Amino acid sequence: MAQSIVTHIATGEMYVAASFQTDTKCLMGVAFAWHRVNQRMVLIAGGLPIQVGSRFYGAIGFSGAPAEKCTGNLDEACASAGLSAIVEELECAE
């Protein structure tokens, strides 16, 4: 069961980061108001946009790292590491 929740959260983070082209941590303050509008939105740190220069590619979402006071900071660090691993390849593709 936990794995399906983690997948749901990561997908929701990815959806928000892609929709707003910003990291989900920036949007955490409005989480409750927006969640009522769209339950697909997960507004906790862990979602990052994939953008190189002015080109937007999509987003990455990570969930499942051990909770650190429910901030999502470890999830965001993992997402950032994954993003760092592909940015150079994307820069070369441009």
Side-chain angles (χ1 to χ4, degrees):
M1 181 172 174
Q3 186 171 359
S4 66
I5 292 170
V6 168
T7 302
H8 171 76
I9 292 170
T11 302
E13 291 168 344
M14 196 170 43
Y15 174 78
V16 170
S19 296
F20 293 95
Q21 295 184 16
T22 191
D23 62 274
T24 53
K25 187 175 184 178
C26 288
L27 301 171
M28 285 174 61
V30 295
F32 295 110
W34 283 0
H35 186 68
R36 290 182 184 167
V37 175
N38 186 338
Q39 292 184 1
R40 188 170 179 195
M41 292 184 174
V42 175
L43 297 164
I44 189 167
L48 300 173
I50 301 171
Q51 189 166 353
V52 176
S54 62
R55 186 164 184 181
F56 176 73
Y57 290 91
I60 185 170
F62 188 90
S63 182
E68 185 181 294
K69 296 184 182 176
C70 298
T71 63
N73 288 341
L74 293 176
D75 289 338
E76 185 175 86
C78 291
S80 182
L83 185 57
S84 294
I86 64 170
V87 165
E88 187 176 326
E89 302 247 348
L90 293 173
E91 289 173 335
C92 290
E94 291 210 339

